[in-house]
Amino acid sequence: MILKKSLKKLLMEPHKKSAKSRQTCLEVVRKSFTSRYMYDFIIERKMTITDMLERSLKKGKGEEQGTAAILAALVCIHLGVGDDSEALFHELGPIFSQIVADRTASPVARDKCATALGIYSFITNSGVGSLQSTMQLLHSIFSASFLKGNGAVPSHAPELVVLHSHALLAWSLLVTISSTLQVIELAESQLKKLPELLESPDLELRIAAGEAIAILYEVIREERVDFEIENVDNLCETLRQLATDSHKFRAKKDRRQQRSSFRDILRAVEEGEAPDVRVKFGREVLNIDSWCKKRQYDAICYILGSGMNLHLKENELLRDIFELGPPVTNGGMYQKISKFDRHMGNVAACKARTKSRGKLRDKRADIVG
């Protein structure tokens, strides 16, 4: 009931007034969509929700736009792969791109829109051309943190550094569904530049850059086991320094997180070692055994937050992405969400699995070629 009232209020509220009230309503809807799997509720109110999101993104400011962007990503995760999510992306995608590219817009709105743009592109996969243009847009954002021409580290306001980090994370997510040919082309250009971000004073940006490097290496080594880049020794030395950093000017928690992250990243570059993470939810276990899967899990977890375990149990899109099979009942038997299955179909499920594991990369590469 509260959820329905919030949706109604968002549509009825004049947009020139009560920004705080609209923000409160958006948060109510976001929390509801996080804590429950509500595919049927959303599909029955698709036009209402689309209108509400479009209005907040176009007419709202700052925090309201950011919350609407994350909510839009939540809706896409609920809808999964299919015509409904693609139609929503057709409506909202251009707005995300416009806000991300607008330097006069709020950095908070821009970084949340960059995240939403990555999620939508990952789930809908609307085409190679669209994917490449999205990645180019995201690259144009985080490349502002590359070293200056004189080799100096650029200085940005903290909120802009957060934007660069989120743009890089969204870019890395899309690398996980790119063809091997595309990734090779990216590696040839970006593995020369991404190490520059390891010198950033911001921990989140350093780790995002390190994981992007690990993802590029992982995908290419699926085809070229002995792949290396120029100056790989310099890269490994930088990673080693970050993995053993004991500088006192960094917070103790940051040093611990950095050392843990970069030990894994160093092993990925030097030895081709993949992550080995087990996520328990209920009586099931998700094994995260690749850098691509880790990036996909982290991206979706950022949107769902505390609702991640519930969605792993019930959301068919997530269960397809992470190859968990149909949802399991309390009795241990598999159940089907018949309305969802009828709507999405076997082709859509196959498409989601293809994205998660990088299968059919060669087929997509042939199409590009």
XYZ file of all heavy atoms in Angstrom, residues 157-246:
706
model
N 38.142 17.386 -7.707
C 37.310 17.390 -6.509
C 36.896 15.952 -6.187
O 36.743 15.129 -7.105
C 36.073 18.258 -6.733
N 36.729 15.615 -4.912
C 36.386 14.235 -4.529
C 35.180 13.671 -5.267
O 35.174 12.499 -5.655
C 36.116 14.357 -3.024
C 36.941 15.515 -2.584
C 36.904 16.491 -3.733
N 34.140 14.510 -5.457
C 32.938 13.997 -6.132
C 33.206 13.659 -7.596
O 32.571 12.761 -8.161
C 31.784 14.998 -6.024
C 32.060 16.380 -6.592
C 32.627 17.345 -5.583
O 33.191 16.879 -4.567
O 32.498 18.572 -5.802
N 34.150 14.343 -8.232
C 34.510 14.005 -9.613
C 35.319 12.717 -9.678
O 35.179 11.932 -10.626
C 35.292 15.150 -10.255
C 34.477 16.362 -10.692
C 35.391 17.440 -11.274
C 33.413 15.974 -11.715
N 36.144 12.489 -8.673
C 36.908 11.240 -8.627
C 35.957 10.053 -8.469
O 36.152 8.995 -9.073
C 37.938 11.264 -7.485
C 38.696 9.941 -7.418
C 38.930 12.413 -7.683
N 34.908 10.232 -7.664
C 33.891 9.181 -7.525
C 33.232 8.917 -8.875
O 33.003 7.759 -9.258
C 32.835 9.584 -6.476
C 31.684 8.578 -6.462
C 33.465 9.672 -5.092
N 32.924 9.965 -9.615
C 32.354 9.823 -10.957
C 33.289 9.023 -11.852
O 32.860 8.107 -12.566
C 32.091 11.200 -11.568
C 31.785 11.242 -13.074
C 30.514 10.473 -13.389
C 31.688 12.697 -13.560
N 34.585 9.345 -11.827
C 35.554 8.628 -12.658
C 35.621 7.151 -12.269
O 35.695 6.280 -13.147
C 36.933 9.276 -12.520
C 36.977 10.688 -12.993
N 38.058 11.522 -12.765
C 36.074 11.435 -13.686
C 37.819 12.710 -13.300
N 36.627 12.684 -13.852
N 35.568 6.876 -10.975
C 35.604 5.484 -10.509
C 34.393 4.704 -11.010
O 34.522 3.585 -11.517
C 35.648 5.439 -8.974
O 36.807 6.044 -8.472
N 33.208 5.293 -10.883
C 31.991 4.599 -11.291
C 31.923 4.442 -12.806
O 31.408 3.430 -13.303
C 30.767 5.350 -10.769
C 30.587 5.190 -9.285
N 29.483 5.664 -8.604
C 31.378 4.607 -8.348
C 29.595 5.379 -7.328
N 30.734 4.744 -7.146
N 32.423 5.420 -13.544
C 32.465 5.283 -15.001
C 33.401 4.150 -15.398
O 33.097 3.363 -16.313
C 32.921 6.598 -15.644
N 34.545 4.030 -14.716
C 35.486 2.951 -15.005
C 34.889 1.591 -14.641
O 35.051 0.609 -15.394
C 36.789 3.175 -14.238
C 37.865 2.082 -14.367
C 38.207 1.804 -15.823
C 39.111 2.476 -13.587
N 34.190 1.516 -13.525
C 33.558 0.257 -13.128
C 32.488 -0.158 -14.136
O 32.370 -1.343 -14.482
C 32.949 0.396 -11.732
C 33.951 0.513 -10.574
C 33.227 0.888 -9.284
C 34.724 -0.782 -10.396
N 31.696 0.807 -14.616
C 30.682 0.503 -15.626
C 31.333 0.064 -16.931
O 30.865 -0.866 -17.603
C 29.789 1.729 -15.855
N 32.423 0.717 -17.309
C 33.182 0.349 -18.514
C 33.713 -1.076 -18.389
O 33.603 -1.877 -19.321
C 34.318 1.343 -18.700
C 35.184 1.149 -19.912
C 34.953 1.645 -21.169
C 36.430 0.438 -19.982
N 35.982 1.280 -22.010
C 36.901 0.539 -21.312
C 37.181 -0.276 -19.054
C 38.090 -0.053 -21.731
C 38.363 -0.874 -19.464
C 38.816 -0.758 -20.785
N 34.260 -1.417 -17.234
C 34.793 -2.767 -17.009
C 33.689 -3.815 -17.083
O 33.908 -4.923 -17.584
C 35.478 -2.840 -15.640
O 36.564 -1.945 -15.559
N 32.499 -3.472 -16.586
C 31.365 -4.395 -16.671
C 31.062 -4.730 -18.119
O 30.788 -5.886 -18.468
C 30.134 -3.773 -15.998
C 28.833 -4.570 -16.084
C 28.957 -5.909 -15.353
C 27.670 -3.759 -15.511
N 31.121 -3.730 -18.998
C 30.815 -3.957 -20.409
C 31.947 -4.698 -21.119
O 31.709 -5.371 -22.126
C 30.514 -2.626 -21.101
C 29.328 -1.859 -20.513
C 29.007 -0.630 -21.350
C 28.100 -2.756 -20.393
N 33.168 -4.594 -20.592
C 34.264 -5.405 -21.144
C 33.935 -6.892 -21.005
O 34.256 -7.700 -21.879
C 35.597 -5.084 -20.434
C 36.685 -6.093 -20.834
C 36.057 -3.669 -20.781
N 33.234 -7.263 -19.916
C 32.948 -8.679 -19.658
C 31.999 -9.290 -20.685
O 31.903 -10.518 -20.775
C 32.353 -8.890 -18.250
O 31.026 -8.349 -18.180
C 33.224 -8.254 -17.191
N 31.282 -8.477 -21.450
C 30.391 -9.016 -22.476
C 30.841 -8.650 -23.878
O 30.117 -8.860 -24.848
C 28.921 -8.566 -22.264
C 28.795 -7.040 -22.304
C 28.373 -9.124 -20.967
C 27.361 -6.541 -22.347
N 32.031 -8.075 -23.993
C 32.581 -7.737 -25.310
C 33.227 -8.969 -25.923
O 33.667 -9.882 -25.224
C 33.619 -6.614 -25.192
O 33.044 -5.439 -24.669
N 33.294 -9.000 -27.247
C 33.931 -10.120 -27.932
C 35.432 -10.107 -27.667
O 36.008 -9.075 -27.309
C 33.675 -10.031 -29.440
O 34.400 -8.942 -29.993
N 36.062 -11.249 -27.855
C 37.509 -11.324 -27.658
C 38.235 -10.347 -28.572
O 39.213 -9.704 -28.164
C 38.006 -12.758 -27.926
O 37.316 -13.664 -27.061
C 39.496 -12.874 -27.659
N 37.775 -10.216 -29.808
C 38.395 -9.292 -30.753
C 38.325 -7.865 -30.222
O 39.309 -7.117 -30.261
C 37.708 -9.377 -32.113
C 38.210 -8.412 -33.201
C 39.684 -8.649 -33.492
C 37.378 -8.551 -34.476
N 37.167 -7.479 -29.704
C 37.023 -6.135 -29.146
C 37.928 -5.932 -27.941
O 38.549 -4.875 -27.786
C 35.565 -5.896 -28.738
C 34.593 -5.748 -29.907
C 33.163 -5.686 -29.424
O 32.666 -6.599 -28.766
N 32.499 -4.595 -29.735
N 38.017 -6.963 -27.092
C 38.851 -6.846 -25.895
C 40.324 -6.732 -26.265
O 41.076 -5.976 -25.642
C 38.611 -8.034 -24.946
C 39.545 -7.956 -23.737
C 37.160 -8.058 -24.475
N 40.746 -7.459 -27.273
C 42.134 -7.354 -27.733
C 42.432 -5.933 -28.194
O 43.480 -5.357 -27.878
C 42.417 -8.364 -28.856
C 42.417 -9.785 -28.287
C 43.752 -8.080 -29.545
C 42.529 -10.866 -29.336
N 41.496 -5.349 -28.944
C 41.682 -3.970 -29.407
C 41.738 -3.003 -28.226
O 42.543 -2.067 -28.202
C 40.546 -3.590 -30.351
C 40.571 -4.353 -31.681
C 39.372 -4.027 -32.548
O 38.442 -3.352 -32.049
O 39.346 -4.452 -33.719
N 40.887 -3.246 -27.225
C 40.895 -2.395 -26.033
C 42.206 -2.547 -25.268
O 42.794 -1.567 -24.796
C 39.722 -2.754 -25.121
C 38.323 -2.352 -25.589
C 37.264 -2.954 -24.675
C 38.186 -0.832 -25.612
N 42.671 -3.796 -25.169
C 43.898 -4.047 -24.414
C 45.096 -3.344 -25.041
O 45.953 -2.800 -24.340
C 44.157 -5.556 -24.328
N 45.145 -3.361 -26.356
C 46.281 -2.743 -27.049
C 46.384 -1.252 -26.756
O 47.478 -0.688 -26.718
C 46.168 -2.982 -28.552
C 46.405 -4.439 -28.950
C 46.174 -4.680 -30.427
O 45.620 -3.774 -31.091
O 46.528 -5.769 -30.926
N 45.230 -0.615 -26.535
C 45.262 0.828 -26.256
C 45.183 1.134 -24.762
O 45.907 2.007 -24.266
C 44.099 1.520 -26.980
O 42.852 0.983 -26.556
N 44.352 0.387 -24.024
C 44.077 0.765 -22.639
C 45.072 0.207 -21.633
O 45.236 0.786 -20.552
C 42.651 0.341 -22.262
C 41.572 1.020 -23.080
C 41.746 2.530 -23.109
O 41.942 3.163 -22.075
N 41.686 3.118 -24.297
N 45.726 -0.898 -21.931
C 46.696 -1.420 -20.974
C 47.948 -0.553 -20.899
O 48.798 -0.749 -20.028
C 47.063 -2.866 -21.310
C 46.003 -3.902 -20.918
C 46.418 -5.305 -21.327
C 45.717 -3.854 -19.419
N 48.064 0.396 -21.814
C 49.139 1.384 -21.732
C 48.733 2.578 -20.869
O 49.598 3.285 -20.339
C 49.505 1.883 -23.134
C 50.033 0.797 -24.069
C 50.281 1.363 -25.457
C 50.753 0.287 -26.431
N 50.952 0.828 -27.807
N 47.402 2.785 -20.738
C 46.912 3.971 -20.028
C 46.345 3.651 -18.637
O 46.524 4.440 -17.711
C 45.826 4.655 -20.863
C 46.297 5.160 -22.222
C 47.328 6.262 -22.088
C 46.762 7.525 -21.484
N 47.781 8.618 -21.392
N 45.663 2.521 -18.507
C 45.037 2.207 -17.226
C 46.027 2.181 -16.054
O 45.669 2.599 -14.944
C 44.293 0.864 -17.321
C 42.979 0.883 -18.105
C 42.440 -0.534 -18.276
C 41.942 1.765 -17.410
N 47.278 1.697 -16.251
C 48.223 1.726 -15.121
C 48.464 3.124 -14.560
O 48.868 3.258 -13.398
C 49.506 1.134 -15.727
C 49.017 0.217 -16.803
C 47.829 0.931 -17.390
N 48.198 4.162 -15.366
C 48.364 5.523 -14.857
C 47.402 5.807 -13.697
O 47.716 6.594 -12.799
C 48.142 6.544 -15.984
C 49.170 6.463 -17.110
C 48.913 7.498 -18.195
O 47.996 8.329 -18.021
O 49.634 7.467 -19.215
N 46.236 5.157 -13.730
C 45.249 5.379 -12.667
C 45.686 4.749 -11.353
O 45.128 5.074 -10.296
C 43.889 4.810 -13.096
C 43.268 5.418 -14.357
C 41.931 4.760 -14.663
C 43.093 6.922 -14.198
N 46.660 3.846 -11.395
C 47.167 3.237 -10.167
C 47.909 4.251 -9.304
O 48.171 3.997 -8.131
C 48.093 2.068 -10.507
C 47.461 0.923 -11.304
C 48.510 -0.124 -11.652
C 46.302 0.290 -10.543
N 48.243 5.398 -9.895
C 48.921 6.464 -9.143
C 47.941 7.447 -8.520
O 48.349 8.394 -7.847
C 49.885 7.213 -10.069
C 50.991 6.342 -10.648
C 52.000 7.151 -11.443
O 52.250 8.324 -11.080
O 52.529 6.619 -12.430
N 46.650 7.225 -8.749
C 45.648 8.135 -8.183
C 45.698 8.110 -6.654
O 45.918 7.052 -6.044
C 44.249 7.725 -8.651
O 43.248 8.432 -7.939
N 45.471 9.241 -6.003
C 45.414 9.253 -4.536
C 44.140 8.617 -3.989
O 44.022 8.383 -2.782
C 45.469 10.748 -4.190
C 44.925 11.439 -5.405
C 45.364 10.596 -6.574
N 43.180 8.305 -4.868
C 41.896 7.748 -4.433
C 41.932 6.223 -4.468
O 42.229 5.618 -5.504
C 40.764 8.256 -5.336
C 39.397 7.765 -4.887
O 38.857 8.329 -3.915
O 38.891 6.803 -5.489
N 41.624 5.591 -3.353
C 41.691 4.135 -3.232
C 40.719 3.440 -4.175
O 41.072 2.473 -4.856
C 41.399 3.711 -1.789
C 41.296 2.207 -1.543
C 42.614 1.513 -1.834
C 40.840 1.926 -0.095
N 39.476 3.929 -4.226
C 38.464 3.277 -5.062
C 38.874 3.293 -6.528
O 38.707 2.297 -7.240
C 37.111 3.970 -4.896
C 35.991 3.290 -5.686
C 34.639 3.967 -5.492
O 34.567 4.950 -4.733
O 33.657 3.504 -6.117
N 39.441 4.396 -6.988
C 39.859 4.491 -8.385
C 41.046 3.575 -8.650
O 41.119 2.940 -9.706
C 40.200 5.940 -8.732
C 40.559 6.213 -10.202
C 39.462 5.738 -11.140
C 40.825 7.708 -10.412
N 41.978 3.476 -7.709
C 43.122 2.572 -7.886
C 42.658 1.123 -8.011
O 43.108 0.387 -8.893
C 44.096 2.705 -6.704
C 44.840 4.019 -6.629
C 46.054 3.932 -5.714
N 45.732 3.556 -4.349
C 45.383 4.404 -3.389
N 45.272 5.699 -3.668
N 45.128 3.987 -2.160
N 41.754 0.715 -7.139
C 41.273 -0.670 -7.173
C 40.463 -0.924 -8.440
O 40.594 -1.980 -9.073
C 40.443 -0.979 -5.920
C 41.342 -0.954 -4.680
C 39.750 -2.333 -6.050
C 40.604 -1.169 -3.371
N 39.626 0.039 -8.844
C 38.835 -0.114 -10.074
C 39.753 -0.282 -11.281
O 39.493 -1.105 -12.167
C 37.926 1.096 -10.269
N 40.856 0.479 -11.308
C 41.815 0.364 -12.412
C 42.503 -0.997 -12.386
O 42.683 -1.644 -13.431
C 42.851 1.482 -12.319
N 42.898 -1.455 -11.192
C 43.548 -2.754 -11.077
C 42.651 -3.885 -11.530
O 43.085 -4.803 -12.249
N 41.377 -3.835 -11.154
C 40.448 -4.894 -11.551
C 40.156 -4.835 -13.052
O 39.964 -5.874 -13.688
C 39.164 -4.791 -10.735
C 39.390 -5.117 -9.266
C 38.106 -5.274 -8.481
O 37.016 -4.987 -9.040
O 38.181 -5.693 -7.317
N 40.132 -3.642 -13.627
C 39.946 -3.519 -15.078
C 41.106 -4.184 -15.816
O 40.916 -4.882 -16.830
C 39.836 -2.051 -15.483
N 42.312 -3.990 -15.316
C 43.494 -4.627 -15.916
C 43.387 -6.141 -15.804
O 43.658 -6.878 -16.768
C 44.775 -4.119 -15.217
C 45.003 -2.641 -15.557
C 45.990 -4.952 -15.622
C 46.086 -1.967 -14.722
N 42.955 -6.637 -14.640
C 42.808 -8.081 -14.437
C 41.768 -8.671 -15.387
O 41.957 -9.764 -15.929
C 42.420 -8.362 -12.982
N 40.671 -7.947 -15.606
C 39.613 -8.425 -16.515
C 40.136 -8.514 -17.943
O 39.900 -9.506 -18.642
C 38.383 -7.497 -16.436
C 37.680 -7.667 -15.089
C 37.404 -7.788 -17.582
C 36.620 -6.614 -14.808
N 40.833 -7.480 -18.398
C 41.388 -7.488 -19.750
C 42.334 -8.668 -19.934
O 42.280 -9.390 -20.951
C 42.104 -6.177 -20.036
C 41.221 -4.938 -20.216
C 42.067 -3.675 -20.246
C 40.389 -5.043 -21.490
N 43.215 -8.892 -18.971
C 44.140 -10.020 -19.042
C 43.390 -11.346 -19.097
O 43.726 -12.243 -19.875
C 45.082 -10.001 -17.841
C 46.438 -9.406 -18.133
C 46.665 -8.041 -17.959
C 47.486 -10.197 -18.583
C 47.902 -7.478 -18.223
C 48.726 -9.649 -18.848
C 48.931 -8.283 -18.672
O 50.161 -7.739 -18.956
N 42.378 -11.480 -18.244
C 41.641 -12.746 -18.165
C 40.965 -13.096 -19.487
O 41.066 -14.240 -19.965
C 40.580 -12.664 -17.058
C 39.723 -13.918 -16.934
C 38.741 -13.795 -15.789
O 37.652 -13.193 -16.006
O 39.046 -14.286 -14.691
N 40.279 -12.121 -20.083
C 39.546 -12.395 -21.323
C 40.504 -12.738 -22.459
O 40.283 -13.686 -23.212
C 38.660 -11.189 -21.706
C 37.994 -11.441 -23.052
C 37.606 -10.935 -20.642
N 41.594 -11.994 -22.574
C 42.539 -12.239 -23.671
C 43.229 -13.584 -23.504
O 43.453 -14.315 -24.484
C 43.579 -11.103 -23.742
C 42.896 -9.799 -24.129
C 44.678 -11.428 -24.747
C 43.805 -8.597 -24.124
N 43.557 -13.941 -22.282
C 44.256 -15.212 -22.055
C 43.389 -16.428 -22.316
O 43.883 -17.555 -22.365
C 44.813 -15.241 -20.631
C 46.109 -14.430 -20.496
C 46.571 -14.342 -19.063
N 47.900 -13.734 -18.978
C 48.444 -13.297 -17.850
N 47.768 -13.395 -16.708
N 49.649 -12.772 -17.851
N 42.073 -16.221 -22.442
C 41.219 -17.320 -22.880
C 41.602 -17.768 -24.289
O 41.423 -18.927 -24.660
C 39.750 -16.901 -22.853
C 39.178 -16.696 -21.463
C 37.737 -16.232 -21.499
O 37.180 -16.100 -22.615
O 37.156 -16.002 -20.430
N 42.136 -16.838 -25.073
C 42.553 -17.132 -26.434
C 44.073 -17.177 -26.581
O 44.598 -17.958 -27.364
C 41.991 -16.061 -27.393
C 40.484 -16.075 -27.512
C 39.976 -17.339 -28.170
O 40.653 -17.849 -29.075
O 38.900 -17.821 -27.762
N 44.769 -16.337 -25.820
C 46.225 -16.257 -25.917
C 46.835 -16.452 -24.528
O 46.949 -15.511 -23.749
C 46.640 -14.883 -26.472
C 46.079 -14.591 -27.861
C 46.543 -13.211 -28.318
N 46.008 -12.861 -29.618
C 46.251 -11.696 -30.223
N 47.028 -10.783 -29.633
N 45.725 -11.435 -31.405
N 47.199 -17.676 -24.240
C 47.675 -18.023 -22.907
C 48.918 -17.230 -22.521
O 49.103 -16.855 -21.359
C 47.974 -19.541 -22.829
C 48.500 -19.908 -21.447
C 46.729 -20.336 -23.163
N 49.781 -16.948 -23.481
C 51.049 -16.280 -23.191
C 50.993 -14.768 -23.416
O 52.032 -14.123 -23.562
C 52.159 -16.875 -24.058
C 51.852 -16.745 -25.556
O 50.694 -16.422 -25.896
O 52.768 -16.965 -26.371
N 49.788 -14.197 -23.414
C 49.649 -12.769 -23.696
C 50.379 -11.923 -22.656
O 50.277 -12.147 -21.451
C 48.175 -12.369 -23.717
C 47.949 -10.883 -23.817
C 48.042 -10.222 -25.032
C 47.668 -10.128 -22.670
C 47.846 -8.856 -25.111
C 47.473 -8.761 -22.747
C 47.563 -8.130 -23.971
N 51.136 -10.940 -23.117
C 51.778 -9.965 -22.254
C 51.765 -8.613 -22.962
O 51.623 -8.532 -24.177
C 53.235 -10.347 -21.939
C 53.384 -11.639 -21.153
C 52.891 -11.529 -19.721
O 52.499 -10.419 -19.315
O 52.876 -12.549 -19.020
N 51.933 -7.539 -22.193
C 52.009 -6.205 -22.767
C 53.439 -5.683 -22.610
O 54.250 -6.249 -21.863
C 51.039 -5.233 -22.064
C 51.407 -5.097 -20.573
C 49.606 -5.654 -22.258
C 50.699 -3.969 -19.876
N 53.718 -4.620 -23.313
C 55.012 -3.969 -23.137
C 55.108 -3.410 -21.713
O 54.115 -2.985 -21.121
C 55.176 -2.824 -24.143
C 55.242 -3.271 -25.598
C 55.427 -2.095 -26.533
O 55.704 -0.979 -26.038
O 55.283 -2.289 -27.751
N 56.312 -3.443 -21.173
C 56.564 -2.914 -19.832
C 55.756 -3.634 -18.756
O 55.366 -3.038 -17.748
C 56.262 -1.412 -19.772
C 57.115 -0.606 -20.734
O 58.307 -0.888 -20.897
N 56.511 0.381 -21.370
N 55.467 -4.938 -18.989
C 54.705 -5.686 -17.989
C 55.458 -5.761 -16.669
O 54.846 -5.813 -15.592
C 54.365 -7.103 -18.519
C 55.638 -7.943 -18.679
C 53.376 -7.800 -17.593
N 56.800 -5.748 -16.723
C 57.584 -5.780 -15.487
C 57.330 -4.531 -14.643
O 57.247 -4.615 -13.412
C 59.073 -5.906 -15.809
C 59.427 -7.256 -16.404
O 58.636 -8.200 -16.199
O 60.465 -7.369 -17.080
N 57.226 -3.379 -15.313
C 56.930 -2.128 -14.593
C 55.544 -2.188 -13.955
O 55.338 -1.727 -12.826
C 57.026 -0.934 -15.534
C 58.445 -0.667 -16.009
O 59.401 -1.102 -15.370
N 58.588 0.031 -17.118
N 54.579 -2.746 -14.717
C 53.223 -2.880 -14.196
C 53.217 -3.775 -12.963
O 52.616 -3.432 -11.937
C 52.293 -3.454 -15.269
C 50.882 -3.855 -14.802
C 50.133 -2.646 -14.256
C 50.101 -4.498 -15.950
N 53.883 -4.921 -13.050
C 53.910 -5.851 -11.923
C 54.603 -5.232 -10.709
O 54.186 -5.470 -9.560
C 54.609 -7.148 -12.328
S 53.634 -8.163 -13.474
N 55.626 -4.443 -10.945
C 56.310 -3.791 -9.837
C 55.384 -2.782 -9.152
O 55.358 -2.681 -7.920
C 57.575 -3.084 -10.335
C 58.363 -2.364 -9.254
C 58.786 -3.277 -8.126
O 58.992 -4.493 -8.369
O 58.903 -2.788 -6.981
N 54.605 -2.043 -9.942
C 53.642 -1.099 -9.362
C 52.585 -1.833 -8.549
O 52.238 -1.425 -7.436
C 52.953 -0.285 -10.475
O 53.934 0.442 -11.217
C 51.940 0.690 -9.896
N 52.076 -2.928 -9.110
C 51.077 -3.730 -8.399
C 51.664 -4.309 -7.113
O 50.995 -4.359 -6.075
C 50.565 -4.866 -9.293
C 49.795 -4.450 -10.553
C 49.476 -5.668 -11.412
C 48.502 -3.715 -10.188
N 52.915 -4.726 -7.179
C 53.577 -5.300 -6.002
C 53.728 -4.248 -4.899
O 53.541 -4.534 -3.706
C 54.929 -5.876 -6.411
C 55.603 -6.737 -5.330
C 56.845 -7.437 -5.860
N 56.512 -8.418 -6.885
C 56.735 -8.267 -8.186
N 57.301 -7.149 -8.639
N 56.410 -9.205 -9.051
N 54.060 -3.035 -5.292
C 54.197 -1.958 -4.310
C 52.858 -1.657 -3.634
O 52.785 -1.440 -2.424
C 54.743 -0.701 -4.985
C 56.201 -0.813 -5.412
C 56.660 0.399 -6.198
O 55.914 1.351 -6.394
N 57.908 0.372 -6.659
N 51.785 -1.673 -4.438
C 50.462 -1.423 -3.871
C 50.022 -2.578 -2.969
O 49.292 -2.373 -1.999
C 49.444 -1.221 -5.000
C 49.605 0.079 -5.801
C 48.754 0.041 -7.062
C 49.243 1.289 -4.954
N 50.452 -3.793 -3.296
C 50.083 -4.966 -2.508
C 50.843 -5.058 -1.197
O 50.465 -5.832 -0.312
C 50.329 -6.231 -3.331
N 51.913 -4.273 -1.075
C 52.715 -4.294 0.158
C 52.818 -2.910 0.789
O 53.659 -2.689 1.655
C 54.133 -4.816 -0.150
O 54.744 -3.987 -1.157
C 54.083 -6.253 -0.642
N 51.971 -1.990 0.350
C 52.032 -0.596 0.806
C 51.865 -0.509 2.319
O 50.930 -1.070 2.886
C 50.928 0.195 0.108
C 51.006 1.686 0.394
O 51.938 2.101 1.091
O 50.143 2.426 -0.102
N 52.762 0.197 2.974
C 52.662 0.384 4.419
C 52.786 1.856 4.807
O 53.136 2.188 5.942
C 53.764 -0.416 5.137
O 55.048 -0.004 4.687
